[in-house]
Amino acid sequence: MADLDIVIGNKTFTVACQDGQEQFLRSAARHLSEQADALLAQIGRMPADRMLLMAGLMLADKTITMEQELTNTRHTLHELQNRPAPPPERVEVPVIPPVVVETMAELAARAEAVAARIEERAAS
């Protein structure tokens, strides 16, 4: 078990933590210290126990807010995942460009004209 010195609100505390948990403890202490520093900036000097209590309550408030947001997000995600799929949307895409259609119609008209001439000659 390691002893770690942490600073919260300009006060140093020695805290024991399990090996390998030092980084987590430093991070938690940094969050608590940020809250304590904000308190000290607003209020000024105060006893360490009151400072720690208020900073802890501020963090608890943030934690509760984030937990509520997480719950709401999970609920929304659950609703979206369980929503039936919308019906497929019909999308029509022109496959043949209009210029090709016009050209083919012109070729068909010419072919019909040639066929008509052949029929006339064959009939005479």
Side-chain angles (χ1 to χ4, degrees), residues 10-25:
N10 300 323
K11 298 192 185 309
T12 302
F13 300 89
T14 301
V15 181
C17 71
Q18 294 180 350
D19 292 333
Q21 296 297 311
E22 294 87 357
Q23 191 61 32
F24 174 77
L25 180 59

PDB file of all heavy atoms in Angstrom, residues 10-25:
ATOM      1  N   ASN A  10      -5.159  24.147  -1.123  1.00  0.00           N
ATOM      2  CA  ASN A  10      -3.915  24.644  -0.523  1.00  0.00           C
ATOM      3  C   ASN A  10      -3.540  23.917   0.769  1.00  0.00           C
ATOM      4  O   ASN A  10      -2.725  24.407   1.532  1.00  0.00           O
ATOM      5  CB  ASN A  10      -3.980  26.160  -0.279  1.00  0.00           C
ATOM      6  CG  ASN A  10      -4.190  26.929  -1.563  1.00  0.00           C
ATOM      7  OD1 ASN A  10      -3.658  26.560  -2.597  1.00  0.00           O
ATOM      8  ND2 ASN A  10      -4.966  27.993  -1.491  1.00  0.00           N
ATOM      9  N   LYS A  11      -4.149  22.784   1.031  1.00  0.00           N
ATOM     10  CA  LYS A  11      -3.812  21.981   2.209  1.00  0.00           C
ATOM     11  C   LYS A  11      -3.326  20.617   1.735  1.00  0.00           C
ATOM     12  O   LYS A  11      -3.894  20.037   0.823  1.00  0.00           O
ATOM     13  CB  LYS A  11      -5.013  21.820   3.133  1.00  0.00           C
ATOM     14  CG  LYS A  11      -5.506  23.148   3.679  1.00  0.00           C
ATOM     15  CD  LYS A  11      -6.484  22.938   4.783  1.00  0.00           C
ATOM     16  CE  LYS A  11      -7.093  24.229   5.269  1.00  0.00           C
ATOM     17  NZ  LYS A  11      -6.242  25.287   5.614  1.00  0.00           N
ATOM     18  N   THR A  12      -2.264  20.125   2.354  1.00  0.00           N
ATOM     19  CA  THR A  12      -1.683  18.840   1.967  1.00  0.00           C
ATOM     20  C   THR A  12      -2.202  17.754   2.890  1.00  0.00           C
ATOM     21  O   THR A  12      -2.227  17.910   4.112  1.00  0.00           O
ATOM     22  CB  THR A  12      -0.147  18.904   2.035  1.00  0.00           C
ATOM     23  OG1 THR A  12       0.297  19.951   1.165  1.00  0.00           O
ATOM     24  CG2 THR A  12       0.470  17.593   1.586  1.00  0.00           C
ATOM     25  N   PHE A  13      -2.614  16.648   2.295  1.00  0.00           N
ATOM     26  CA  PHE A  13      -3.112  15.488   3.031  1.00  0.00           C
ATOM     27  C   PHE A  13      -2.328  14.271   2.566  1.00  0.00           C
ATOM     28  O   PHE A  13      -2.024  14.133   1.389  1.00  0.00           O
ATOM     29  CB  PHE A  13      -4.606  15.260   2.746  1.00  0.00           C
ATOM     30  CG  PHE A  13      -5.487  16.407   3.125  1.00  0.00           C
ATOM     31  CD1 PHE A  13      -5.763  17.430   2.222  1.00  0.00           C
ATOM     32  CD2 PHE A  13      -6.044  16.473   4.398  1.00  0.00           C
ATOM     33  CE1 PHE A  13      -6.573  18.487   2.557  1.00  0.00           C
ATOM     34  CE2 PHE A  13      -6.866  17.533   4.751  1.00  0.00           C
ATOM     35  CZ  PHE A  13      -7.129  18.549   3.831  1.00  0.00           C
ATOM     36  N   THR A  14      -2.017  13.381   3.503  1.00  0.00           N
ATOM     37  CA  THR A  14      -1.376  12.116   3.169  1.00  0.00           C
ATOM     38  C   THR A  14      -2.457  11.048   3.187  1.00  0.00           C
ATOM     39  O   THR A  14      -3.157  10.874   4.185  1.00  0.00           O
ATOM     40  CB  THR A  14      -0.255  11.780   4.163  1.00  0.00           C
ATOM     41  OG1 THR A  14       0.705  12.839   4.143  1.00  0.00           O
ATOM     42  CG2 THR A  14       0.424  10.475   3.792  1.00  0.00           C
ATOM     43  N   VAL A  15      -2.573  10.348   2.074  1.00  0.00           N
ATOM     44  CA  VAL A  15      -3.631   9.349   1.910  1.00  0.00           C
ATOM     45  C   VAL A  15      -2.994   8.040   1.478  1.00  0.00           C
ATOM     46  O   VAL A  15      -2.107   8.023   0.626  1.00  0.00           O
ATOM     47  CB  VAL A  15      -4.647   9.818   0.843  1.00  0.00           C
ATOM     48  CG1 VAL A  15      -5.769   8.815   0.683  1.00  0.00           C
ATOM     49  CG2 VAL A  15      -5.199  11.188   1.178  1.00  0.00           C
ATOM     50  N   ALA A  16      -3.471   6.940   2.055  1.00  0.00           N
ATOM     51  CA  ALA A  16      -2.994   5.613   1.660  1.00  0.00           C
ATOM     52  C   ALA A  16      -3.877   5.096   0.524  1.00  0.00           C
ATOM     53  O   ALA A  16      -5.082   5.317   0.524  1.00  0.00           O
ATOM     54  CB  ALA A  16      -3.042   4.661   2.840  1.00  0.00           C
ATOM     55  N   CYS A  17      -3.237   4.435  -0.414  1.00  0.00           N
ATOM     56  CA  CYS A  17      -4.004   3.828  -1.508  1.00  0.00           C
ATOM     57  C   CYS A  17      -3.320   2.539  -1.928  1.00  0.00           C
ATOM     58  O   CYS A  17      -2.145   2.325  -1.667  1.00  0.00           O
ATOM     59  CB  CYS A  17      -4.165   4.780  -2.681  1.00  0.00           C
ATOM     60  SG  CYS A  17      -2.662   5.085  -3.617  1.00  0.00           S
ATOM     61  N   GLN A  18      -4.087   1.679  -2.573  1.00  0.00           N
ATOM     62  CA  GLN A  18      -3.540   0.407  -3.032  1.00  0.00           C
ATOM     63  C   GLN A  18      -2.570   0.654  -4.174  1.00  0.00           C
ATOM     64  O   GLN A  18      -2.703   1.610  -4.938  1.00  0.00           O
ATOM     65  CB  GLN A  18      -4.659  -0.528  -3.492  1.00  0.00           C
ATOM     66  CG  GLN A  18      -5.564  -0.950  -2.366  1.00  0.00           C
ATOM     67  CD  GLN A  18      -6.660  -1.887  -2.855  1.00  0.00           C
ATOM     68  OE1 GLN A  18      -6.850  -2.079  -4.045  1.00  0.00           O
ATOM     69  NE2 GLN A  18      -7.379  -2.471  -1.917  1.00  0.00           N
ATOM     70  N   ASP A  19      -1.603  -0.230  -4.275  1.00  0.00           N
ATOM     71  CA  ASP A  19      -0.631  -0.118  -5.360  1.00  0.00           C
ATOM     72  C   ASP A  19      -1.358  -0.175  -6.701  1.00  0.00           C
ATOM     73  O   ASP A  19      -2.263  -0.978  -6.904  1.00  0.00           O
ATOM     74  CB  ASP A  19       0.396  -1.252  -5.281  1.00  0.00           C
ATOM     75  CG  ASP A  19       1.305  -1.118  -4.059  1.00  0.00           C
ATOM     76  OD1 ASP A  19       1.500   0.021  -3.606  1.00  0.00           O
ATOM     77  OD2 ASP A  19       1.808  -2.152  -3.569  1.00  0.00           O
ATOM     78  N   GLY A  20      -0.941   0.698  -7.596  1.00  0.00           N
ATOM     79  CA  GLY A  20      -1.551   0.759  -8.922  1.00  0.00           C
ATOM     80  C   GLY A  20      -2.730   1.714  -9.002  1.00  0.00           C
ATOM     81  O   GLY A  20      -3.224   1.989 -10.086  1.00  0.00           O
ATOM     82  N   GLN A  21      -3.213   2.223  -7.872  1.00  0.00           N
ATOM     83  CA  GLN A  21      -4.359   3.131  -7.852  1.00  0.00           C
ATOM     84  C   GLN A  21      -3.949   4.595  -7.688  1.00  0.00           C
ATOM     85  O   GLN A  21      -4.792   5.473  -7.561  1.00  0.00           O
ATOM     86  CB  GLN A  21      -5.319   2.735  -6.715  1.00  0.00           C
ATOM     87  CG  GLN A  21      -5.944   1.379  -6.891  1.00  0.00           C
ATOM     88  CD  GLN A  21      -6.806   1.320  -8.140  1.00  0.00           C
ATOM     89  OE1 GLN A  21      -7.650   2.193  -8.373  1.00  0.00           O
ATOM     90  NE2 GLN A  21      -6.607   0.301  -8.962  1.00  0.00           N
ATOM     91  N   GLU A  22      -2.643   4.845  -7.705  1.00  0.00           N
ATOM     92  CA  GLU A  22      -2.150   6.200  -7.455  1.00  0.00           C
ATOM     93  C   GLU A  22      -2.697   7.206  -8.469  1.00  0.00           C
ATOM     94  O   GLU A  22      -3.110   8.314  -8.102  1.00  0.00           O
ATOM     95  CB  GLU A  22      -0.609   6.236  -7.485  1.00  0.00           C
ATOM     96  CG  GLU A  22       0.058   5.460  -6.380  1.00  0.00           C
ATOM     97  CD  GLU A  22       0.279   3.983  -6.728  1.00  0.00           C
ATOM     98  OE1 GLU A  22      -0.150   3.549  -7.811  1.00  0.00           O
ATOM     99  OE2 GLU A  22       0.895   3.294  -5.903  1.00  0.00           O
ATOM    100  N   GLN A  23      -2.711   6.845  -9.749  1.00  0.00           N
ATOM    101  CA  GLN A  23      -3.168   7.773 -10.784  1.00  0.00           C
ATOM    102  C   GLN A  23      -4.648   8.106 -10.594  1.00  0.00           C
ATOM    103  O   GLN A  23      -5.054   9.257 -10.762  1.00  0.00           O
ATOM    104  CB  GLN A  23      -2.916   7.181 -12.180  1.00  0.00           C
ATOM    105  CG  GLN A  23      -3.108   8.163 -13.302  1.00  0.00           C
ATOM    106  CD  GLN A  23      -2.148   9.351 -13.206  1.00  0.00           C
ATOM    107  OE1 GLN A  23      -1.031   9.239 -12.737  1.00  0.00           O
ATOM    108  NE2 GLN A  23      -2.604  10.504 -13.633  1.00  0.00           N
ATOM    109  N   PHE A  24      -5.440   7.100 -10.229  1.00  0.00           N
ATOM    110  CA  PHE A  24      -6.865   7.335  -9.994  1.00  0.00           C
ATOM    111  C   PHE A  24      -7.047   8.287  -8.811  1.00  0.00           C
ATOM    112  O   PHE A  24      -7.844   9.219  -8.878  1.00  0.00           O
ATOM    113  CB  PHE A  24      -7.587   6.011  -9.729  1.00  0.00           C
ATOM    114  CG  PHE A  24      -9.017   6.194  -9.339  1.00  0.00           C
ATOM    115  CD1 PHE A  24      -9.979   6.493 -10.296  1.00  0.00           C
ATOM    116  CD2 PHE A  24      -9.412   6.099  -8.010  1.00  0.00           C
ATOM    117  CE1 PHE A  24     -11.305   6.683  -9.931  1.00  0.00           C
ATOM    118  CE2 PHE A  24     -10.734   6.289  -7.644  1.00  0.00           C
ATOM    119  CZ  PHE A  24     -11.680   6.586  -8.614  1.00  0.00           C
ATOM    120  N   LEU A  25      -6.297   8.065  -7.739  1.00  0.00           N
ATOM    121  CA  LEU A  25      -6.399   8.922  -6.562  1.00  0.00           C
ATOM    122  C   LEU A  25      -5.968  10.354  -6.896  1.00  0.00           C
ATOM    123  O   LEU A  25      -6.607  11.316  -6.478  1.00  0.00           O
ATOM    124  CB  LEU A  25      -5.562   8.358  -5.406  1.00  0.00           C
ATOM    125  CG  LEU A  25      -5.601   9.168  -4.118  1.00  0.00           C
ATOM    126  CD1 LEU A  25      -7.021   9.289  -3.582  1.00  0.00           C
ATOM    127  CD2 LEU A  25      -4.700   8.531  -3.070  1.00  0.00           C
TER     128      LEU A  25
END
